[in-house]
Amino acid sequence: MNAKKNTVLIKCIIIFMIAMPLVWGILYPILEPLSPVWRDTMKYTITAILSVLFMKLLWKKKLFSLKSSKFLHSLFTFGLLGLIGAIGAFIFSYEPLVAPLTFESILGCIALNVAIAVSEEFLFRGVILNALLTTYDRKENKSGLWKAVILANVIFGLRHLLNLIQMPEAVIGTIAQVIFTAMAGTYLCAIYLRTNNLWVCIVIHFLEDFASSFWTIDHWNAANTLDVSIGTAVGMIAMQIPYVIFAVLMINDKKWDRKMK
């Protein structure tokens, strides 16, 4: 591996291994007086802002754009599977509410999942994926493109190990989350590569997270400290298989290869 590749990988590792845990560790006691939902919302909002700052600090060139051209076309063409998945997650994650929904709880659910989607897409698809793509020429080398996608999603999946800091009891659920988020990240990478539109990834990410967390928003803190069974964990991972298959088909589309060249 040449020096340029080493430099990019070191920057990615710095962001993942040092910056995020350090920032979250500083923020946690400061935000502790807030409710769990709003505490996490602020944490992810600050992470999104810092992601852009990291990009400007560590990379001289602009890695990604926030332009939203052909947004609806891209959303319904390449993001349709994600929209269907969000509907399925909303239905199958249903559980009786512990307390009646309030305007504040719904607003908190929306704000939290917007913050998560924006921060993670900025950091992992916006900064890290694009940084790796500058190392591997995606127009000339398909294997290099896949190396960038796989490595970006390994980092994305491993990021979720940080959840053990807040919920050390949820070992099985966290391990499952590491695996299925890496798989889902492949789909989000494919959407971004096909559309060059980060907002499509943000909307799909938001809808998936919002749908799967909606029924637990009234007891967010308690729900996040519970572990899941092995069967549930396997089911969570298996549900991501269609996303991986669709991602492979999108990335390996020969018609798209010709357009890129």
Side-chain angles (χ1 to χ4, degrees):
M1 182 177 290
N2 60 36
K4 182 181 177 183
K5 292 181 180 180
N6 275 328
T7 301
V8 172
L9 291 178
I10 289 171
K11 289 175 179 178
C12 292
I13 292 171
I14 289 173
I15 292 175
F16 168 64
M17 296 297 292
I18 300 176
M20 289 187 69
L22 180 62
V23 170
W24 286 10
I26 294 171
L27 288 176
Y28 191 81
I30 298 173
L31 301 175
E32 193 170 10
L34 299 176
S35 67
V37 169
W38 289 106
R39 182 173 63 231
D40 285 349
T41 299
M42 290 300 299
K43 179 180 72 175
Y44 282 105
T45 299
I46 294 171
T47 301
I49 296 171
L50 290 178
S51 297
V52 177
L53 295 178
F54 278 136
M55 178 188 72
K56 293 184 177 296
L57 177 64
L58 298 179
W59 283 273
K60 294 181 180 180
K61 62 182 255 184
K62 187 177 182 180
L63 286 177
F64 66 94
S65 171
L66 291 177
K67 293 180 179 179
S68 58
S69 59
K70 298 182 179 179
F71 170 76
L72 290 178
H73 176 267
S74 299
L75 179 63
F76 289 102
T77 301
F78 301 110
L80 184 59
L81 180 62
L83 297 174
I84 295 172
I87 295 172
F90 183 79
I91 295 172
F92 292 109
S93 65
Y94 169 79
E95 61 179 78
L97 294 169
V98 174
L101 288 175
T102 64
F103 174 77
E104 183 181 0
S105 64
I106 295 174
L107 180 62
C109 183
I110 293 173
L112 172 61
N113 287 295
V114 166
I116 292 174
V118 170
S119 66
E120 292 189 341
E121 293 310 311
F122 274 21
L123 181 57
F124 293 101
R125 257 61 66 184
V127 176
I128 292 179
L129 175 63
N130 276 294
L132 293 169
L133 289 173
T134 62
T135 300
Y136 303 108
D137 190 341
R138 63 181 183 177
K139 292 184 179 181
E140 301 297 335
N141 188 344
K142 181 57 71 71
S143 65
L145 184 150
W146 272 110
K147 288 177 183 177
V149 169
I150 292 171
L151 184 55
N153 288 306
V154 168
I155 297 173
F156 179 51
L158 289 175
R159 199 288 296 165
H160 292 82
L161 286 175
L162 297 178
N163 293 341
L164 286 173
I165 297 174
Q166 288 184 273
M167 41 185 184
E169 301 87 357
V171 176
I172 297 175
T174 300
I175 293 173
Q177 191 178 24
V178 168
I179 297 171
F180 76 69
T181 52
M183 295 170 72
T186 306
Y187 173 65
L188 292 168
C189 281
I191 291 176
Y192 178 68
L193 291 170
R194 290 299 298 263
T195 65
N196 199 33
N197 192 325
L198 204 60
W199 291 112
V200 176
C201 300
I202 289 171
V203 169
I204 294 298
H205 194 147
F206 162 75
L207 291 175
E208 291 276 0
D209 285 356
F210 177 81
S212 60
S213 65
F214 180 81
W215 301 110
T216 60
I217 200 63
D218 60 331
H219 56 289
W220 174 261
N221 197 41
N224 276 349
T225 59
L226 299 176
D227 205 356
V228 299
S229 66
I230 294 178
T232 299
V234 171
M236 293 163 66
I237 295 170
M239 289 176 63
Q240 306 306 314
I241 294 176
Y243 292 105
V244 175
I245 294 173
F246 195 63
V248 171
L249 293 175
M250 283 199 290
I251 294 176
N252 288 336
D253 190 328
K254 293 182 179 179
K255 292 181 179 179
W256 178 47
D257 286 344
R258 289 196 291 272
K259 288 181 180 179
M260 289 178 65
K261 294 179 181 181

